[in-house]
Amino acid sequence: MLSTFLIDGPEYARRANTPFVPPNITLAELHAALPPHVFKKSTARGLSYVARDVVCAWILYRLSSFIPLAPAVLRFPLWAAYWWCQGIVLAGWWCLAHEAGHGTISEYSWVNHAVGFTLHTAILAPYYAWRETHRSHHRAPMSVERDENYVPRSRSEYGLWPQSQDDRSGAPGLLADGERKSGLDPQEVFEDAPIYVLSKMLIMQLLGWQIYLFTNEMGNPSYPKGTNHFSPSSPLFKPRHRRNIIASNVGICVTILLLTLWARELGFSLFVKVYGVPYLLANHWIVMLTYLHHSDPTIPYYRSAAWSFVRGAASTVDRPLLGWVGRVFLHNVSHDHVAHHLFSYIPFYNQPEVTKRIRILLGENYNYDSTNTFRALYRTFTQCCFIEDEGEIVFYKNRDGKAARHVLADGEMKVGQVTMKMAM
């Protein structure tokens, strides 16, 4: 088991050793490969998943009332089991609300909005506000200029020294001829001390979702400082969205009031155990899955001249997050994310069939990674540091200024998984 935390999946290793060739397949070609039934939505089926997840959360909550009655030696293990299970179930609520925002729970928009608003508000997420920025993300995925989520920062945005000065043959901070380098050292900006890295990861995993909502951290850097998901006049939204943003805010305020009353009834300590800890763990899963969908050393970002919808949508990664548990309770959100980005209006319960069909057409441009998800998280966090300011297709670079992958160059050919330079 421990070995799975130490090695990369074979799919990741294969991509890292294969120069990238951007896909040129069209959305029409992919659409033509799908049978008509996968596009059909069923309100009854969609609501059955909602009902199941709500009932699961209620059952877990009721079972937690017996934990204080257990022998003292068993209480912490039982609470830990409750936190793990309830955190996943609440993350599933978030996933269902995400699907509702895409209109896939029901063929009726009012049902989708009722479900999405209720589930997101219950876990303190602004349904309408996030729905709008998420829709913008789906319109321009992996676009350096236009994407809304986990947009990489460039070398110049971090104030790093130029790429031409990456050579480290001279003394620290100096060029080989003794002149001082003009900029910050990437190895100092991106500290890799294990305790420092793990501390930053812990903050991101537990509070990253709230930080994003309140500050637009890792959103598109073109927005001014102070941009957030709660101000009706935020540049994230258009004037026609303002009523919905206010509705989201009112819903969250009402939820906070109800949670406060509940905490008074239960007592603060018990409230933290039954709601607070599962809420934080749900945030962990939300950040983990969204971060790893689009951040990976082997996955490209595009600038405008090279970007297309299919290229951007295909530049995500399918991962078997939590195995069957992720399929059942996270509703295929990570297992079939490539399909979701290409056809976000297809219900999540039909996405596995979509994946089976499009992966054949995408070929090498279908991205899957069986790497242990926690290892993938650490790998991405430490290796995806910045992108270069030049280049229409760019990959993340690490603190040493090295990319895990490159675009196939002129005069370069692939033979199996071996890259060769053609004699000129």
Side-chain angles (χ1 to χ4, degrees):
M1 286 292 292
L2 182 61
S3 63
T4 64
F5 291 89
L6 303 176
I7 59 174
D8 294 319
E11 309 85 4
Y12 175 88
R14 189 178 305 116
R15 281 197 302 275
N17 291 313
T18 304
F20 177 70
V21 178
N24 289 311
I25 193 170
T26 66
L27 189 62
E29 291 174 299
L30 293 168
H31 190 285
L34 304 180
H37 71 266
V38 301
F39 297 93
K40 294 181 179 178
K41 305 169 188 176
S42 167
T43 300
R45 186 171 182 181
L47 291 179
S48 72
Y49 288 103
V50 175
R52 185 202 67 187
D53 282 14
V54 171
V55 169
C56 283
W58 175 253
I59 290 173
L60 287 169
Y61 168 65
R62 295 302 300 167
L63 289 175
S64 73
S65 65
F66 295 100
I67 296 177
L69 305 178
V73 70
L74 295 178
R75 288 175 196 166
F76 182 78
L78 289 173
W79 276 120
Y82 168 77
W83 295 333
W84 176 268
C85 295
Q86 192 72 293
I88 291 173
V89 171
L90 293 183
W93 284 21
W94 184 91
C95 293
L96 285 174
H98 157 256
E99 292 296 329
H102 283 291
T104 63
I105 295 294
S106 170
E107 60 266 38
Y108 303 108
S109 61
W110 70 268
V111 174
N112 287 307
H113 292 322
V115 168
F117 182 82
T118 301
L119 293 181
H120 261 175
T121 303
I123 54 174
L124 302 177
Y127 169 70
Y128 288 111
W130 185 75
R131 174 176 176 265
E132 293 306 326
T133 57
H134 187 64
R135 291 174 72 181
S136 297
H137 160 64
H138 268 267
R139 284 192 286 268
M142 308 305 280
S143 165
V144 173
E145 298 93 349
R146 297 169 52 217
D147 201 351
E148 290 283 353
N149 305 127
Y150 298 111
V151 181
R153 288 354 185 210
S154 68
R155 181 185 287 267
S156 64
E157 286 175 306
Y158 281 115
L160 307 178
W161 59 46
Q163 185 177 4
S164 60
Q165 297 180 5
D166 272 343
D167 176 60
R168 293 183 178 273
S169 58
L174 300 178
L175 298 170
D177 60 7
E179 289 190 28
R180 182 166 296 278
K181 295 183 177 182
S182 56
L184 301 176
D185 185 344
Q187 292 189 353
E188 293 181 0
V189 173
F190 303 105
E191 176 62 62
D192 68 344
I195 293 178
Y196 177 80
V197 171
L198 292 174
S199 298
K200 288 192 67 176
M201 288 180 65
L202 185 63
I203 293 172
M204 182 181 82
Q205 290 306 115
L206 296 181
L207 300 175
W209 170 234
Q210 290 80 9
I211 292 172
Y212 166 67
L213 293 175
F214 278 99
T215 69
N216 201 42
E217 180 72 19
M218 288 309 294
N220 195 300
S222 66
Y223 294 114
K225 189 174 182 179
T227 297
N228 63 79
H229 280 72
F230 299 99
S231 171
S233 59
S234 171
L236 294 171
F237 314 120
K238 294 180 171 58
R240 68 175 184 272
H241 299 146
R242 289 178 181 174
R243 288 186 179 180
N244 288 340
I245 307 309
I246 293 172
S248 291
N249 293 343
V250 170
I252 288 178
C253 288
V254 171
T255 301
I256 291 174
L257 175 61
L258 294 175
L259 290 174
T260 301
L261 296 174
W262 188 25
R264 286 183 177 180
E265 180 182 341
L266 290 179
F268 181 74
S269 177
L270 186 56
F271 172 78
V272 169
K273 291 175 181 176
V274 299
Y275 182 86
V277 176
Y279 168 75
L280 290 177
L281 289 178
N283 291 338
H284 152 71
W285 294 118
I286 292 165
V287 172
M288 173 181 269
L289 64 90
T290 55
Y291 181 49
L292 292 180
H293 286 162
H294 301 286
S295 304
D296 185 277
T298 63
I299 302 301
Y301 267 85
Y302 296 90
R303 290 194 167 93
S304 57
W307 185 88
S308 71
F309 175 78
V310 171
R311 287 181 174 183
S315 291
T316 184
V317 186
D318 284 351
R319 302 180 189 275
L321 176 63
L322 292 175
W324 69 268
V325 174
R327 276 228 179 264
V328 173
F329 290 101
L330 299 183
H331 307 286
N332 302 322
V333 70
S334 287
H335 288 72
D336 302 296
H337 203 68
V338 176
H340 170 69
H341 257 280
L342 288 165
F343 303 101
S344 60
Y345 48 88
I346 291 180
F348 61 91
Y349 43 80
N350 289 335
Q351 292 288 9
E353 183 173 354
V354 176
T355 296
K356 290 178 183 178
R357 292 174 180 270
I358 65 171
R359 68 184 301 170
I360 299 172
L361 295 176
L362 289 173
E364 287 188 354
N365 290 116
Y366 170 73
N367 302 307
Y368 178 82
D369 189 4
S370 61
T371 302
N372 178 280
T373 310
F374 286 91
R375 171 174 172 77
L377 178 66
Y378 183 83
R379 181 184 66 203
T380 293
F381 194 86
T382 55
Q383 297 298 309
C384 294
C385 296
F386 66 94
I387 60 172
E388 294 294 349
D389 293 278
E390 300 82 26
E392 294 300 329
I393 303 175
V394 291
F395 291 87
Y396 266 114
K397 287 190 170 181
N398 61 21
R399 64 194 297 268
D400 296 319
K402 306 296 183 183
R405 199 177 185 190
H406 67 276
V407 179
L408 186 71
D410 293 338
E412 190 178 16
M413 62 178 292
K414 292 185 293 183
V415 180
Q417 298 302 320
V418 180
T419 305
M420 303 178 63
K421 286 286 185 180
M422 296 178 63
M424 300 300 292

